[in-house]
Amino acid sequence: MRLSTPIRSRFAFGLVASAILALNMLPKAYAVEAPKIVQKDGRYALMVEGRPFLMLGGQIHNSSAWPSELPQVWKSMAALHANTVEAPVYWEQFEPQPGHFDFTNVDQIVEGTGTHNLHVVLLWFGTWKNGNMHYVPDWVKTDTNRFPRVVRPDGEPIDVLSPLSQNTLAADKTAFTALMRHLRQIDGERHTVLAIQIENESGNIGSVRDFSAEANREFSGAVPPDLLAATHKQPGAWSQVFGSEADEIFQAYHQAKYINEIAAAGKAEFAIPCYINVWIDYPPAELPQRQLDTPGIAYPSGGAVQKLVGLWRTLAPSLDMIGPDIYSDDSRFYRETMQAYHRRDNPLWIPETGREESFGKFFFYALGEGALGFSPFGVDETARSPVGEDLWKWHSRNFALIGPMSREIAELEFAGKLQTAVEEPGQSEVELNFDGWQATVAFGFPQHDGRRAPGTKDAHAVALVAQLGPDKFLVTGMDASVSFHLPGKKPWMRSQIISAEQGAYDNGVWKPLRRLNGDETDRGLCFYEPPEVVQVSMGRF
Ligand code: DGJ
């Protein structure tokens, strides 16, 4: 059928209009899916716009989330090559008077994040900050009747709010839901905000539990059924059921329920991932100023320390994850901590870690462990920063290397195709096992034929290998060589490099720069500084 021009354009307009109408009628979740965490075969990914996303994070100093500080924040994030800034939202600033919300800071952070092509994880500094209550508004600080404090065994109240108080819970929840509602309005379509941290290192510093009259009454009663079910215990009073751990578990129970209620209310407004960060339990030698390994002294009591992660996951199902803040550069402890938090029921995300050079290689351990992200703390250059400017150089170099291919790396992690090798003192070689192939990683140069690799002076070398196909790998590293071979055979025995391309990912597309051969491949692929990225195809003969 032939249509006259006006009729044709009216018809075309009608088609466009009904298409727009149909699009508007699509469920919102389909049209603009918010960030979410998914799990497959026991592995996790943070999905952002339908693809796994790796958070290369930088957490700013505690007092840097003010408009006056933001210009240097953006500069620092660029120098760090981060793709995600972690920035606090202060309850005291956000709700200066009850029910009056001030969105200035949060608006400028979210806006600036978008302008600078970054994402943001917002940290809700509410009831708790580092086991204290220092970020609550003045009207909460000064009204100890309405917002009761945790009381020590000797009857002294401390600067921590009690999670048993319904008033405090209601006040925090009201503010947090106002924040989430606002975020949905300003960011519901843009996905600048990836996740929200609820509270900061929650728990009590100063008392193992609340010994107020109300808390003591609860404590002398029976353990609630949901906790019995979660711990597989028989009914009884707290001390009978949990013995010497009763005080800490009592505190953890009330805190987990409190935070879960805040998370659930917030997610009802804007369903993006919510998590808590944890002041972990360090070996006493790591915290010499806190020699007593006692909850409430060594770490905030009630927090989701290593031994309590499972219990917290059960009691606070509205949280999407629990992330350890890791400030020890003892390599064994670092790895044990990652393993304690990387569980079938908990994705690994390191929301805070040391910015010093000695923490640089832990980024590669984290990638090998399938982490959703890794974020050194205190990386903006405020005038008040107690640290020099160069301290986070290694993190910056790592992020510059992984940044351009971070989506590919996140996908390979999620698919279980990625492994890393990290040097430890006295260990100059690591063997990685892949489907059909092995890779020998040797650390330090020069590497002489027939001799063991020398390692590096400070054991900092790393390598990352990911299987792209049955015989194809993506490889990078620093101060390390990587030689592929068939299981049980030496390199070049019944196997050969078909091609080795140095190149880079550019918006998801592999762009080769040159083909490596001869001295650059005959003794393995060699990675120095600045690091290179190589795709290698192997063959059998
Ligand atoms: C851990 C806290 O979570 C951060 O807010 C900050 O206080 C750092 N400690 C300081 O090292």
Side-chain angles (χ1 to χ4, degrees), residues 101-352:
F101 300 108
D102 178 349
F103 300 111
T104 317
N105 284 20
V106 73
D107 282 349
Q108 294 211 18
I109 290 164
V110 174
E111 185 58 38
T113 298
T115 312
H116 291 86
N117 224 358
L118 293 165
H119 288 276
V120 62
V121 170
L122 292 171
L123 320 173
W124 172 240
F125 283 10
T127 300
W128 288 280
K129 163 72 172 76
N130 298 17
N132 290 121
M133 50 169 283
H134 298 170
Y135 279 87
V136 303
D138 303 5
W139 51 270
V140 175
K141 280 184 188 154
T142 51
D143 193 345
T144 48
N145 284 331
R146 189 167 156 216
F147 305 110
R149 306 293 181 88
V150 165
V151 173
R152 289 194 317 208
D154 63 0
E156 283 295 312
I158 57 176
D159 57 348
V160 187
L161 290 165
S162 173
L164 278 84
S165 163
Q166 289 304 310
N167 289 342
T168 314
L169 171 58
D172 189 323
K173 197 164 68 174
T174 303
F176 186 69
T177 49
L179 172 64
M180 294 298 268
R181 196 175 311 126
H182 183 69
L183 289 177
R184 179 168 45 82
Q185 283 158 7
I186 63 168
D187 200 54
E189 311 268 313
R190 285 190 306 180
H191 315 149
T192 315
V193 186
L194 298 181
I196 307 282
Q197 178 184 295
I198 304 186
E199 317 296 346
N200 191 84
E201 296 188 342
S202 64
N204 303 339
I205 285 291
S207 185
V208 62
R209 74 165 168 90
D210 184 5
F211 290 87
S212 64
E214 189 201 343
N216 284 344
R217 221 174 10 257
E218 284 271 334
F219 188 77
S220 61
V223 172
D226 57 346
L227 183 54
L228 290 176
T231 51
H232 311 289
K233 299 275 190 189
Q234 295 305 312
W238 285 84
S239 300
Q240 284 169 336
V241 176
F242 296 113
S244 62
E245 293 200 307
D247 289 331
E248 184 178 9
I249 292 181
F250 177 85
Q251 198 62 32
Y253 175 78
H254 288 287
Q255 209 174 287
K257 307 270 285 187
Y258 182 105
I259 289 183
N260 188 58
E261 202 170 318
I262 294 175
K267 285 170 81 172
E269 294 292 343
F270 189 26
I272 57 173
C274 288
Y275 74 94
I276 57 162
N277 67 328
V278 183
W279 176 334
I280 56 176
D281 184 8
Y282 291 93
E286 291 291 316
L287 281 179
Q289 73 280 28
R290 292 177 184 268
Q291 283 291 353
L292 279 177
D293 193 10
T294 307
I297 298 177
Y299 56 84
S301 184
V305 290
Q306 293 90 319
K307 64 179 178 190
L308 294 179
V309 194
L311 182 61
W312 261 85
R313 290 301 282 143
T314 309
L315 295 175
S318 293
L319 292 176
D320 295 273
M321 52 186 174
I322 296 178
D325 295 347
I326 318 182
Y327 283 98
S328 161
D329 64 0
D330 177 294
S331 185
R332 179 191 293 252
F333 177 74
Y334 206 102
R335 281 174 280 155
E336 284 169 1
T337 305
M338 287 195 300
Q339 284 152 14
Y341 286 86
H342 183 206
R343 302 161 44 104
R344 278 197 81 82
D345 62 359
N346 194 54
L348 179 65
W349 150 233
I350 301 173
E352 286 183 40

